[in-house]
Amino acid sequence: MTEKEESRAQKLQKELSLPKKSAWERLEAGEKERVFTFAEGYKGFLSRAKTEREAARAALEAARGRGFTSLMDLPAAQGLQPGSRFFLSWRDKVVLLGVMGATPMEEGVRLVGAHVDAPRLDLKPMPLYEKDGLAMFKTHYYGGIKKYQWTALPLALHGVIMLRDGRRIEVVVGEDPGDPIFSVSDLLPHLAKEQMKKNMEEALSGDDLNLVVGSLPFEGDDEFKEKIRLAILQLLNQRYGLIEEDFITAELELVPAGSARDLGFDRSLVGAYGQDDRVCGYTALQAILELENPLHTALVLLVDKEEIGSTGNTGAHSRFLEYALTEMAARTNKPGFFNVGRIMAASQAISADVTAGVDPTYENVFDMHNASLMGHGVVLNKYSGSRGKYDANDASAEFMGRLRDIFNRQHVIWQSGEMGKVDAGGGGTIAKFLAYFGLDVADCGPALLSMHAPLEIASKVDVYMAYRAYRAFLAS
Ligand code: MN
Ligand code: MN
């Protein structure tokens, strides 16, 4: 082969092939600094917002600070004008943020939806018991976890308790450096000969995830049994006014204690709990906070319960979106127009959720030709699902083409992706629940390592590109 022929092939290759190149090497001048600065705000959000309620609250606070007002406080008819910024808070766990567009709502909205719940351990309704000199809490895990990852780890307790007098109290124990932490005990290797023979699914059962919460006996009654349990109840009663029955009327969640951190010598990654999917929640939030006078009405929807199937009245598989659009339509200058079905049919959405990044140790579960690499930009996924796209929202070629054009025109660095090998497993997102209403939807978000583990890893450049992608889409 002559040198000339080789360069012709290289030229053609450049014209026709899709290159795989690190996003870090494709950033424009000055952009690397913006990537690192953006990550500081992101880490702050992750450290503050460790439950769905805390994430919803943080989003609302940020929105209020940027001139968003409550939709329900706006007058019917004329309350919403082009450029109006509003929020709708739902059950303290769901937030819709909106900026009204120049075009009427029946021409469709641009929606970015992310979930702000994350896998964790919840307390059982009757958690407290005493055994073998210890007070313990029983837990029931929430979402898809590898149970062994949640033992022998510092955990913090976050949540709300409804007391019998109707008071609602909020609890956070384990985040302040002076706070005590909690931990699920694990079997020492010395005595784990039988356990180590079991497969990973069977080695621990859900009922083995029990939390150590104390060991001091109640003083002054030698005859009494379960003095440690009583002493914990007494302590909780003194501190919070709580009696045992109040555990039943509570939502108490155990999450890994501590703050989000830079990861790696070069600080190019973020290591933190809850990045699935608060990474998309935060980036979508930042995108809409900065949005002014969009062409189409722009919405960011932060929902709960994705990790357990988007169920319940705070999940994406509820009619909240329909309700919210009705409340919005009633406040436009065309209040007679209540055809919410038509608004949704004309609308476009990004299901903003994370996907699996290639883990160098486990390449075997990926089709490397279609897998997403860490630090190679935000991932655009045509479909999710498992075993033959089952349960997937499979985005149309037309809509994928539209998103590709928006991203390329705005210099968003993105890559394509697929969760893993065809029959390796799979997963779902809120995409199909948005698609149910007739919107065009595709999945788009950063790739993570160690998804659903107590410490998940994201690349700062991918986080930044998710923000850029959502901003470009909301403005389209
Ligand atoms: Mn997710
Ligand atoms: Mn998940």
Side-chain angles (χ1 to χ4, degrees):
M1 197 182 281
T2 69
E3 227 178 87
K4 206 179 166 195
E5 276 170 336
E6 197 178 297
S7 75
R8 270 216 330 264
Q10 281 171 344
K11 199 166 157 245
L12 197 61
Q13 159 92 350
K14 218 173 163 184
E15 267 175 44
L16 301 182
S17 291
L18 184 64
K20 269 203 171 173
K21 194 173 175 187
S22 165
W24 294 107
E25 295 175 306
R26 295 169 63 189
L27 289 174
E28 289 162 21
E31 226 176 359
K32 193 171 164 191
E33 286 67 35
R34 289 203 289 279
V35 167
F36 278 90
T37 305
F38 189 86
E40 292 305 302
Y42 172 50
K43 284 184 293 170
F45 178 82
L46 287 176
S47 303
R48 245 182 358 265
K50 299 184 72 170
T51 67
E52 67 285 14
R53 286 175 189 263
E54 289 168 4
R57 183 188 303 161
L60 278 183
E61 277 170 13
R64 280 203 188 90
R66 297 291 281 268
F68 286 64
T69 54
S70 171
L71 181 67
M72 304 313 281
D73 291 344
L74 296 173
Q78 312 289 334
L80 289 175
Q81 301 290 338
S84 295
R85 301 151 84 76
F86 66 89
F87 62 81
L88 183 56
S89 169
W90 178 249
R91 303 285 195 257
D92 295 334
K93 297 175 182 178
V94 175
V95 176
L96 182 78
L97 301 167
V99 181
M100 294 305 287
T103 57
M105 279 175 69
E106 62 263 36
E107 290 183 23
V109 303
R110 301 287 177 265
L111 171 83
V112 176
H115 68 92
V116 290
D117 63 318
R120 59 179 191 254
L121 304 180
D122 286 343
L123 294 195
K124 287 195 181 191
M126 288 289 285
L128 179 64
Y129 67 101
E130 174 180 336
K131 210 173 181 190
D132 306 328
L134 294 168
M136 309 283 288
F137 273 174
K138 288 172 178 281
T139 72
H140 192 138
Y141 64 93
Y142 172 97
I145 61 165
K146 292 165 93 175
K147 296 182 201 97
Y148 72 88
Q149 293 179 335
W150 291 75
T151 64
L153 187 78
L155 296 172
L157 186 69
H158 292 234
V160 300
I161 307 169
M162 295 304 299
L163 301 177
R164 65 201 177 286
D165 62 7
R167 273 190 306 139
R168 174 182 177 281
I169 56 165
E170 300 193 13
V171 177
V172 178
V173 183
E175 297 294 351
D176 192 276
D179 279 356
I181 52 154
F182 309 96
S183 192
V184 173
S185 57
D186 198 2
L187 187 58
L188 61 167
H190 317 64
L191 298 177
K193 201 172 155 220
E194 286 307 311
Q195 187 196 38
M196 298 290 264
K197 285 184 198 156
K198 295 181 185 172
N199 68 39
M200 280 161 94
E201 202 168 340
E202 289 164 357
L204 280 172
S205 82
D207 285 290
D208 292 334
L209 296 175
N210 297 316
L211 194 74
V212 179
V213 299
S215 64
L216 276 183
F218 176 77
E219 287 175 21
D221 188 341
D222 281 349
E223 298 308 305
F224 192 79
K225 298 252 189 300
E226 300 201 334
K227 281 189 270 192
I228 302 167
R229 184 179 175 282
L230 184 67
I232 292 289
L233 277 176
Q234 184 187 36
L235 192 151
L236 293 175
N237 183 263
Q238 285 163 353
R239 186 159 310 161
Y240 303 111
L242 179 138
I243 59 168
E244 192 168 28
E245 192 179 85
D246 297 329
F247 281 121
I248 301 169
T249 57
E251 286 178 277
L252 292 166
E253 308 178 4
L254 289 156
V255 298
S259 300
R261 306 279 293 269
D262 285 341
L263 195 143
F265 287 116
D266 57 10
R267 299 179 178 268
S268 60
L269 304 151
V270 173
Y273 163 71
Q275 301 198 71
D276 173 10
D277 183 34
R278 292 179 200 128
V279 64
C280 296
Y282 179 77
T283 49
L285 172 68
Q286 293 309 307
I288 198 162
L289 290 182
E290 288 169 12
L291 195 66
E292 275 173 20
N293 303 310
L295 179 61
H296 293 94
T297 293
L299 300 174
V300 164
L301 174 63
L302 306 178
V303 290
D304 178 31
K305 296 286 187 282
E306 193 276 342
E307 296 297 356
I308 57 168
S310 295
T311 51
N313 66 353
T314 55
H317 195 194
S318 74
R319 296 178 77 164
F320 170 75
L321 181 60
E322 210 175 354
Y323 160 69
L325 288 170
T326 308
E327 293 289 359
M328 286 168 59
R331 286 167 177 78
T332 63
N333 55 12
K334 214 178 159 189
F337 190 82
F338 277 114
N339 193 338
V340 169
R342 190 188 295 174
I343 296 172
M344 293 212 249
S347 293
Q348 298 173 1
I350 283 179
S351 160
D353 208 341
V354 298
T355 187
V358 172
D359 186 324
T361 310
Y362 302 104
E363 262 192 7
N364 60 313
V365 299
F366 296 94
D367 162 16
M368 292 304 290
H369 196 59
N370 280 284
S372 312
L373 297 177
M374 299 295 289
H376 281 58
V378 67
V379 183
L380 182 57
N381 266 321
K382 188 174 185 297
Y383 51 85
S384 58
S386 55
R387 286 163 290 272
K389 300 193 180 181
Y390 192 83
D391 240 9
N393 164 69
D394 198 351
S396 71
E398 290 86 347
F399 189 52
M400 291 294 284
R402 206 187 114 65
L403 290 177
R404 183 257 308 265
D405 286 344
I406 294 169
F407 294 169
N408 285 351
R409 261 187 282 124
Q410 298 296 322
H411 307 289
V412 173
I413 302 174
W414 63 279
Q415 57 180 322
S416 111
E418 194 179 55
M419 187 86 164
K421 275 186 178 163
V422 177
D423 288 327
T429 63
I430 65 166
K432 64 173 180 171
F433 303 111
L434 299 175
Y436 166 79
F437 291 112
L439 293 84
D440 267 324
V441 190
D443 283 293
C444 178
L448 297 185
L449 293 187
S450 309
M451 195 194 296
H452 285 201
L455 189 124
E456 301 175 313
I457 301 172
S459 161
K460 288 182 179 177
V461 74
D462 298 342
V463 174
Y464 181 74
M465 285 302 157
Y467 150 74
R468 290 274 319 279
Y470 305 150
R471 196 178 67 179
F473 173 71
L474 290 172
S476 72

